[in-house]
Amino acid sequence: MWITLASDHAGGRRSKSRGEITLRPFAVLVVPILVSVASCEERPAEVPSPPFEEVFELAEVIVLGEGPSDSVAEVGEFFERRDGGFIIADRLLPRVRTYREDGSLEAGFGRFGDGPWEFRTIRGVAEVADGRIAVTGAQNGAVTYLDPDLTPHSMLLIEDFTSSMLLPFGRDLVFTGRARDVNLVAEMDGIFHRLVDSAVTWSRWNTPAASKPYWNALGGLHGAVGGDSVYVMAGLLYPATILSAAGDSVGSIGTPSPDFRRVPELEPGALAFAGGAGAAAQAGTGLKTLIESFDLVTGMDIVDDYLVFTVGRHDPAKPWFPFKQLDVFVEAYDRHTAEKLFENVPLPEGSKVLGGGRYLYVLVNPEFPPWRIARYKLRIP
């Protein structure tokens, strides 16, 4: 798991990528939990858990428009645009599409491949300050820039790095990236990088060498921008880290509910099997038991200047990699005071949180079209 940073530019009320870093299963990576004055060791006496309808007001439900020969295979990365529209990347197809505020389709772009203007999987999407659309997912790790109508504009191949999650900071971008040369990974100054024009001006935050087998395959990253702070969380570890404009850690925010189940630490080889159908079945049973044993944060968003966590679990019906995450609850914090406003608020059954911004965007039916997205306003005074 990795962690992110902040910029000295105000990036609007919200800017983040919900997507998770593409990770090799069963790698050994871990994030330290940082504690500061912004996080509470002692929980408040009571944090309310009201029904969803008491804290979120339904503004409208929109239906995603589709082109006659450009259907959405599965809704993936989401980003709210400044004009009220949004960008959605297809989770299964190498396609990115833009939509108007009413959900009607504006444009689509992308094809499968390793050449210029081609993708394998879309990893990150964002609208940058001049209105262009930035996309990551090219096999060579380049950032692909598209004009607002999704016609190709330019490609930026960042020296030494492959790029993934995108976080706009004013006119800059912050991206997550690893060194292309595996021999340089240990020498990197950080995995999160600030991109000014076409140059990386600094890199921050390194994962310490620690042995946490399997964690890398069980959870991903979440980032959200509020003002000149960036809130980053490894899905398996609660709270979130707060990073400053210079990329320095300035504390943490978040107190998990008393019934939040931590991920267990396993010994190396705990889920390995030597071969044979019986051994494979036993390993599969062990993996199913593992993913049913813990909770994780499945998303983090700024919604109307509040920090909202989505808490969920792995789907026990799919006990193999890549795992399927289910959104179950939402929790919210005043990001200025770190006060927890509510916790364990059940989401509408079967729904999935897409992202934040002026609204909390919730995909009503994640499994099949027509794709319906509900916009919710936060009812906090």
Side-chain angles (χ1 to χ4, degrees):
M1 308 298 170
W2 307 332
I3 286 196
T4 228
L5 43 80
S7 165
D8 56 356
H9 295 294
R13 281 190 293 183
R14 177 262 182 196
S15 223
K16 75 113 194 165
S17 170
R18 279 192 66 82
E20 297 179 355
I21 303 299
T22 301
L23 303 171
R24 296 185 180 274
F26 314 138
V28 181
L29 292 175
V30 69
V31 173
I33 299 177
L34 305 176
V35 179
S36 78
V37 294
S39 65
C40 302
E41 286 293 338
E42 296 183 5
R43 290 182 51 78
E46 259 185 64
V47 178
S49 300
F52 186 83
E53 296 76 12
E54 288 189 12
V55 289
F56 288 97
E57 177 184 355
L58 178 63
E60 62 180 328
V61 177
I62 59 177
V63 178
L64 285 187
E66 293 193 313
S69 59
D70 191 18
S71 296
V72 177
E74 187 172 328
V75 176
E77 304 297 319
F78 177 94
F79 190 94
E80 183 193 66
R81 301 177 72 180
R82 290 187 293 274
D83 65 2
F86 45 90
I87 311 163
I88 291 181
D90 203 304
R91 184 174 177 271
L92 302 179
L93 301 177
R95 297 284 291 172
V96 59
R97 301 175 179 92
T98 56
Y99 298 85
R100 300 177 183 88
E101 190 170 3
D102 63 1
S104 57
L105 178 66
E106 277 190 331
F109 178 84
R111 60 180 180 268
F112 182 82
D114 295 330
W117 317 111
E118 295 178 339
F119 308 99
R120 292 205 171 191
T121 301
I122 304 295
R123 296 185 180 134
V125 294
E127 181 185 50
V128 296
D130 61 7
R132 288 179 298 162
I133 309 301
V135 185
T136 56
Q139 187 67 9
N140 59 12
V143 178
T144 298
Y145 290 98
L146 307 172
D147 284 322
D149 63 357
L150 296 190
T151 56
H153 181 279
S154 58
M155 296 183 68
L156 176 62
L157 185 61
I158 306 169
E159 186 177 1
D160 296 331
F161 298 107
T162 61
S163 57
S164 192
M165 183 190 296
L166 296 173
L167 299 170
F169 282 80
R171 302 189 62 83
D172 303 340
L173 272 178
V174 170
F175 68 94
T176 54
R178 301 297 301 270
R180 289 194 182 90
D181 185 347
V182 294
N183 297 318
L184 296 178
V185 171
E187 301 176 12
M188 291 176 64
D189 294 327
I191 303 170
F192 287 79
H193 319 281
R194 181 170 176 178
L195 184 66
V196 179
D197 296 324
S198 59
V200 173
T201 58
W202 49 257
S203 300
R204 293 289 187 274
W205 204 89
N206 273 315
T207 302
S211 56
K212 300 293 181 185
Y214 309 105
W215 279 20
N216 203 24
L218 296 174
L221 299 189
H222 313 291
V225 173
D228 59 358
S229 297
V230 174
Y231 306 87
V232 177
M233 175 179 285
L236 298 178
L237 298 175
Y238 201 143
T241 299
I242 307 170
L243 296 172
S244 73
D248 299 322
S249 172
V250 294
S252 61
I253 181 171
T255 305
S257 66
D259 51 357
F260 183 86
R261 301 171 302 163
R262 294 286 186 183
V263 61
E265 298 185 24
L266 303 180
E267 295 297 326
L271 299 178
F273 61 94
Q282 184 176 1
T285 300
L287 191 53
K288 185 175 186 296
T289 301
L290 170 64
I291 66 171
E292 291 177 332
S293 69
F294 65 91
D295 304 315
L296 74 163
V297 173
T298 56
M300 181 170 60
D301 301 280
I302 299 291
V303 180
D304 196 21
D305 210 33
Y306 293 92
L307 189 62
V308 175
F309 295 164
T310 305
V311 179
R313 57 183 67 108
H314 288 294
D315 186 352
K318 190 178 180 295
W320 58 83
F321 184 86
F323 303 104
K324 179 182 178 182
Q325 296 179 359
L326 303 176
D327 295 349
V328 182
F329 302 109
V330 286
E331 308 187 335
Y333 293 86
D334 183 322
R335 70 178 188 86
H336 302 286
T337 66
E339 177 189 1
K340 192 170 193 179
L341 305 173
F342 56 78
E343 66 185 12
N344 287 351
V345 174
L347 279 160
E349 186 174 358
S351 62
K352 179 178 180 60
V353 175
L354 291 179
R358 289 171 285 256
Y359 302 93
L360 181 74
Y361 291 84
V362 177
L363 186 61
V364 176
N365 51 325
E367 301 296 335
F368 51 85
W371 309 107
R372 293 179 296 135
I373 298 176
R375 284 192 179 105
Y376 290 98
K377 290 292 291 183
L378 200 52
R379 292 181 185 267
I380 298 173

